[in-house]
Amino acid sequence: MGYSVPLTLFSFSLTLILLTEVLNMNSMYEVLETITIGSIVALFLFTTARVPKAIELWKECLFILNNKSVDKRNVVIKSIYESINSLLIEAYCRINDYNSAIKWCRK
């Protein structure tokens, strides 16, 4: 339990860094790099029972994907969307928020 505050601050700091870096992204590779880092941290939070923070970070990753000029028809981008949506559904089920899980199933 003693590690929860530093890790929460770390995830919050990482979210702020990701959002500020998004403003300077010009290529799809930079976007993918940011999404990959955010997803790895969110997966760590998910597996260490910090599911609400993981949900928040995955939503930020989707926000980045939606607001950057990446080709939504690209197979890699579609795969990332599907993966993050699946993880969000699983996360919402883990915290017994089935209405939100159903909402993400419809997307």
Side-chain angles (χ1 to χ4, degrees):
M1 285 284 197
Y3 294 107
S4 63
V5 172
L7 285 175
T8 302
L9 291 174
F10 173 74
S11 65
F12 178 73
S13 299
L14 182 64
T15 302
L16 288 177
I17 291 169
L18 290 175
L19 287 176
T20 55
E21 289 296 318
V22 166
L23 299 175
N24 298 323
M25 286 184 206
N26 294 324
S27 73
M28 184 173 85
Y29 298 109
E30 291 173 335
V31 172
L32 290 176
E33 181 181 14
T34 303
I35 298 303
T36 302
I37 293 168
S39 294
I40 290 170
V41 172
L43 190 58
F44 171 78
L45 292 170
F46 177 77
T47 56
T48 56
R50 293 174 186 90
V51 178
K53 286 291 179 186
I55 290 171
E56 181 181 326
L57 197 50
W58 278 319
K59 285 183 177 181
E60 291 295 331
C61 290
L62 289 176
F63 175 79
I64 291 168
L65 277 175
N66 286 326
N67 288 315
K68 285 306 187 181
S69 57
V70 293
D71 184 12
K72 307 273 189 299
R73 297 169 291 166
N74 185 318
V75 176
V76 174
I77 300 298
K78 281 184 179 181
S79 174
I80 292 171
Y81 272 114
E82 290 172 5
S83 297
I84 293 175
N85 279 337
S86 297
L87 289 166
L88 279 168
I89 292 165
E90 186 177 345
Y92 279 122
C93 288
R94 185 173 286 185
I95 61 172
N96 298 324
D97 186 355
Y98 299 110
N99 290 330
S100 295
I102 291 169
K103 174 185 148 191
W104 284 101
C105 283
R106 292 182 179 150
K107 287 188 175 189

